Amino acid sequence: CILLKGRLLKEYGQYDEALKDFNEAIKRENNNAYAYCQIGHLKILRNEKEEAWEAYNKAIEIKPLMIIFNEG
């Protein structure tokens, strides 16, 4: 699954590759709140705060009760 691959890449610090996978997941299913949330996490890790909030807001728009947390 592309989401699992993206998550593993993120955990191993391969942020660019992980971002590609999460964006691909969104292309396949544009209402994937989990993928948007993961993009938000990646953007925070890359110090791209404005883009992170955009991704988090999109996740909440899709799934209003989405719990967003920092996975460290």
Side-chain angles (χ1 to χ4, degrees), residues 41-53:
H41 293 156
L42 284 166
K43 295 294 185 172
I44 288 290
L45 291 170
R46 293 166 50 150
N47 202 30
E48 297 172 1
K49 294 176 183 154
E50 186 66 34
E51 293 90 347
W53 284 117

Side-chain angles (χ1 to χ4, degrees), residues 6-68:
R7 177 91 187 252
L8 290 172
L9 287 166
K10 185 179 95 172
E11 288 181 22
Y12 285 102
Q14 296 181 20
Y15 301 149
D16 291 337
E17 293 302 314
L19 191 57
K20 288 178 189 176
D21 284 348
F22 292 126
N23 280 318
E24 180 62 30
I26 289 168
K27 283 183 188 175
R28 295 179 185 182
E29 181 186 359
N30 67 349
N31 64 343
N32 191 321
Y34 178 81
Y36 280 107
C37 190
Q38 291 298 310
I39 288 172
H41 293 156
L42 284 166
K43 295 294 185 172
I44 288 290
L45 291 170
R46 293 166 50 150
N47 202 30
E48 297 172 1
K49 294 176 183 154
E50 186 66 34
E51 293 90 347
W53 284 117
E54 290 173 13
Y56 288 144
N57 285 329
K58 184 66 176 177
I60 292 168
E61 178 183 313
I62 294 166
K63 191 170 183 178
L65 298 178
M66 181 69 140
I67 298 171
I68 299 175

